[in-house]
Amino acid sequence: MVRIAHFSDLHYGPKNLIEADRCFGAAIDMAMASGVQAAVLSGDSTDHALDLHSPAAERLVAQVRRLADHCPVLMLQGTFSHEPPGTLSIFKSLGGRYPVHVADQIGQVALMPNGCWQVSSSWRFDVLPDGLMALFSCVPTVNKAAVAATVGAGAAAEAVGEHLAVLLAGFAESHRRAQALTVPSIGVSHGTVFGCMSEHGVPMAGFDHEFTTGALFAAEAQAFMLGHIHRHQAWDCEGRHGQQRIAYAGSIGRFHYGEDGDKGWLLWEVDTSSAVCTLQPTPARRTVDIVFDGKPDLDSLRDAVAQQDVAGAFVRVRWTVADEDRHEVNREAIQQVLGAAAEVKLEGRIVPVVRTRAAGISQLSSLEQKVVAWAQATGVQDAGLLRCLDELVCSQPQEIVGRILEAKCSSFGDGGNEAF
């Protein structure tokens, strides 16, 4: 059996530095205390291209070096928008006690007893190395643009999934040979599994996703460690090759509001007949969402604060108001009520005033015709409007005022007997 620490989606960058470094640092401490024999970072270690002199790059390099002083480390190429090709190359030269292998191409790598990585010369080993402890099959992010250039943009998404399914099935022979040698086999990749859940609870369904669970299980690896989706989730399969498990570690920290589930890393225990992983939570920040259908009500906000602890939490307040009411929202008062929060984010959705134009109304000759056309366009009954218009046209202003006052006095007189 081999014990592996699986980290993913660290997203080191200026925006996420504090959260990422606090959570990844705590995860490394826990992994070392657990006596892991290897560590896997399954993509998106950075949030975007980083300058080497940036604080985010310095902290990430320092943390990976600390991890490499404890055990061998495998780093997988993630999404190109987060990790442009070549971003991870610097980690090959860290010079820790154990080596860091950067998997930026499809291939296999063997973990040897001395803690070194032995890399296949092609996409898989023709002959497995003698004495290997574990076999890793690595499938970094696929460049869909290259596929689109070959098969066309419309067919690229489906073509990627089809080719990856063939590739994964091709790894099965190596994994069976490893199993015969009582060596655990592990797959590592970065992408989306059809039907998985996003961190916001949205099912990922569509034809543009890289994997299906069937294609991943067809690789016949005991464990398949995935990155890209920020929510931890797992799938199991019991078959003639023993118990197999696919799992996302999820993001190391909570980088966005509204994310469901705990954040952490996975502690894997893998042998030739089973794979078990457990989520080890990290000290990710707490987020709280308070939503108003209309204008924020301060009394309701105080009640919400009293019902849940917002001290030290990251609080987002959302509301929806009409355009003419937007200036009635007291942002300073909201900030004061949430003064104990670590951060307050105010998001107001403004509903614009929608004006409906009646086609051809400017070409009508009379005001009466224009009123009728406007009423039809807006769905308003025109009878009362036409009576008022007729009164405006046929009567003098003094007469209209007199009739209105007379009607009010008459109404008051009728009710006055009852009042007194």
Side-chain angles (χ1 to χ4, degrees):
M1 183 188 73
V2 62
R3 292 167 65 85
I4 303 170
H6 175 198
F7 312 99
S8 193
D9 294 270
L10 311 181
H11 286 280
Y12 268 75
K15 180 181 177 181
N16 299 325
L17 177 55
I18 295 175
E19 174 77 355
D21 200 50
R22 181 182 68 252
C23 293
F24 189 37
I28 291 174
D29 292 339
M30 289 186 282
M32 292 191 298
S34 300
V36 297
Q37 298 161 277
V40 170
L41 281 68
S42 58
D44 286 358
S45 295
T46 62
D47 197 50
H48 51 71
L50 297 177
D51 293 324
L52 283 180
H53 66 275
S54 69
E58 187 275 330
R59 289 306 306 152
L60 177 58
V61 169
Q63 295 286 25
V64 175
R65 169 60 191 264
R66 190 161 70 93
L67 185 59
D69 281 336
H70 174 77
C71 64
V73 179
L74 188 157
M75 297 185 72
L76 189 80
Q77 168 73 52
T79 310
F80 294 131
S81 59
H82 292 303
E83 290 174 346
T87 299
L88 302 181
S89 298
I90 188 66
F91 293 97
K92 301 176 183 178
S93 306
L94 280 187
R97 181 182 177 189
Y98 295 96
V100 176
H101 172 66
V102 174
D104 52 10
Q105 295 181 351
I106 294 171
Q108 291 184 317
V109 59
L111 178 61
M112 306 306 291
N114 61 359
C116 292
W117 299 104
Q118 187 166 334
V119 184
S120 63
S121 58
S122 62
W123 68 280
R124 70 177 183 184
F125 286 110
D126 294 324
V127 178
L128 296 181
D130 292 334
L132 76 166
M133 292 175 56
L135 176 65
F136 291 81
S137 298
C138 304
V139 184
T141 295
V142 176
N143 189 343
K144 291 183 180 179
V147 178
T150 303
V151 302
E158 190 171 351
V160 168
E162 292 174 354
H163 285 292
L164 285 176
V166 173
L167 171 70
L168 293 169
F171 282 133
E173 182 182 349
S174 295
H175 296 159
R176 286 194 294 267
R177 282 185 286 162
Q179 189 177 37
L181 297 172
T182 65
V183 173
S185 55
I186 300 105
V188 184
S189 193
H190 191 89
T192 304
V193 176
F194 178 86
C196 70
M197 299 290 289
S198 75
E199 64 271 23
H200 295 100
V202 178
M204 304 297 286
F207 296 106
D208 58 341
H209 301 317
E210 294 89 343
F211 306 112
T212 63
T213 55
L216 292 169
F217 284 131
E220 299 185 20
Q222 273 69 55
F224 223 110
M225 304 178 183
L226 295 176
H228 186 53
I229 299 299
H230 288 198
R231 182 190 184 112
H232 165 58
Q233 54 206 291
W235 299 265
D236 292 306
C237 177
E238 189 74 36
R240 59 190 180 92
H241 306 291
Q243 187 261 334
Q244 299 172 267
R245 170 164 284 198
I246 305 165
Y248 283 104
S251 58
I252 199 73
R254 200 178 308 278
F255 302 124
H256 306 99
Y257 285 94
E259 294 189 23
D260 296 332
D262 290 331
K263 300 298 179 179
W265 61 283
L266 295 181
L267 175 60
W268 286 85
E269 295 181 339
V270 188
D271 59 27
T272 54
S273 61
S274 66
V276 177
C277 66
T278 54
L279 180 67
Q280 310 294 315
T282 54
R285 66 182 186 177
R286 293 188 300 113
T287 58
V288 176
D289 277 300
I290 302 175
V291 181
F292 295 94
D293 291 333
K295 185 176 67 174
D297 179 74
L298 293 179
D299 291 333
S300 299
L301 182 61
R302 293 187 185 97
D303 292 340
V305 171
Q307 293 172 7
Q308 52 188 325
D309 181 19
V310 300
F314 289 70
V315 182
R316 178 174 64 178
V317 181
R318 286 179 155 182
W319 65 87
T320 302
V321 295
D323 192 21
E324 60 267 25
D325 298 328
R326 62 190 303 176
H327 301 296
E328 297 183 12
V329 177
N330 192 335
R331 290 173 174 262
E332 291 184 3
I334 296 173
Q335 294 274 8
Q336 290 176 0
V337 173
L338 299 171
E343 176 185 277
V344 177
K345 187 174 184 180
L346 305 180
E347 293 184 357
R349 179 175 176 266
I350 308 302
V351 180
V353 175
V354 179
R355 293 177 172 84
T356 303
R357 301 183 66 87
I361 194 171
S362 61
Q363 300 175 6
L364 299 177
S365 58
S366 70
L367 184 59
E368 181 180 356
Q369 292 174 330
K370 292 181 179 181
V371 169
V372 172
W374 176 86
Q376 291 175 346
T378 56
V380 175
Q381 296 292 330
D382 60 7
L385 293 172
L386 293 175
R387 283 197 301 272
C388 291
L389 177 62
D390 183 66
E391 189 172 4
L392 288 171
V393 172
C394 300
S395 303
Q396 295 296 319
Q398 295 83 354
E399 297 176 0
I400 297 173
V401 172
R403 284 197 292 270
I404 293 174
L405 292 176
E406 183 180 352
K408 285 188 175 182
C409 291
S410 176
S411 174
F412 178 77
D414 292 341
N417 294 332
E418 297 179 2
F420 294 95

